[in-house]
Amino acid sequence: MRSSATHGATPSGRITATQALDGVMALIRSHRSVAELTPESMGQALGVPVTRVSADHFGYAQQLPGDWSFSVQRQLVPSIGPRVDLAFSPIDEAEPSPQAICSPDFAHFTAALEQWGFTRQTSRGEHGRWTFDAFDRPGQHVEVYPLVHVGDTRGTDLTCVGRVSIR
């Protein structure tokens, strides 16, 4: 295992959901291609030690407060090439509120991509269901998948970032 700088990490070496999302944004800003990403540069952006699984596969994972966990990994996907994925997941079979992982929320996260010159396209699945928003600029393709928590009253829905995939 190779490790990297832990700038921004808590004394226990753990980071928050906000720090994970900010770290992924830093990776997007600082690397024009996923192919040039290293365990050291990922660790520096996230502020935690990154584990190398193989030459083409490395990442980091941890539990978060509120019955959530996340992982971020770079791997070589056959027929696609190198890809970075950040995913938030509920722990066990829990159905926790996404409030603990929703900063920045989907709107703020995606607005930053547009400010950096990415063009946006919404992808819809079966019956017009919203599946993700895709963002493109030369050398990068980013898919941001929403995690929608339906509120108790009209206008209180919460739309968070559930997953980010970078190619």
Side-chain angles (χ1 to χ4, degrees), residues 13-120:
R14 298 168 64 81
I15 60 174
T16 65
T18 299
Q19 289 169 316
L21 286 165
D22 288 347
V24 167
M25 291 299 270
L27 291 174
I28 294 168
R29 270 194 316 267
S30 63
H31 294 80
R32 288 302 225 175
S33 166
V34 173
E36 66 189 41
L37 184 63
T38 66
E40 292 76 21
S41 61
M42 178 184 276
Q44 185 174 23
L46 293 170
V48 291
V50 169
T51 300
R52 182 186 289 269
V53 178
S54 69
D56 293 317
H57 187 188
F58 48 87
Y60 177 81
Q62 79 170 51
Q63 275 189 261
L64 294 165
D67 291 325
W68 287 95
S69 66
F70 81 92
S71 66
V72 59
Q73 63 179 331
R74 181 209 181 266
Q75 60 186 331
L76 188 60
V77 179
S79 77
I80 293 177
R83 184 176 80 191
V84 172
D85 292 302
L86 165 78
F88 291 101
S89 304
I91 296 172
D92 298 322
E93 298 298 317
E95 292 186 31
S97 166
Q99 188 68 44
I101 63 163
C102 206
S103 179
D105 65 11
F106 189 90
H108 287 93
F109 189 90
T110 57
L113 293 172
E114 289 181 300
Q115 289 173 354
W116 297 340
F118 282 88
T119 59
R120 182 180 199 155

Side-chain angles (χ1 to χ4, degrees), residues 79-159:
S79 77
I80 293 177
R83 184 176 80 191
V84 172
D85 292 302
L86 165 78
F88 291 101
S89 304
I91 296 172
D92 298 322
E93 298 298 317
E95 292 186 31
S97 166
Q99 188 68 44
I101 63 163
C102 206
S103 179
D105 65 11
F106 189 90
H108 287 93
F109 189 90
T110 57
L113 293 172
E114 289 181 300
Q115 289 173 354
W116 297 340
F118 282 88
T119 59
R120 182 180 199 155
Q121 182 175 341
T122 297
S123 179
R124 299 203 178 269
E126 189 173 286
H127 305 292
R129 183 181 56 86
W130 178 33
T131 54
F132 63 88
D133 281 5
F135 297 83
D136 289 288
R137 71 177 179 190
Q140 282 186 315
H141 175 80
V142 180
E143 295 174 357
V144 184
Y145 293 78
L147 176 64
V148 180
H149 179 72
V150 180
D152 294 334
T153 58
R154 182 181 165 103
T156 62
D157 291 357
L158 186 60
T159 304

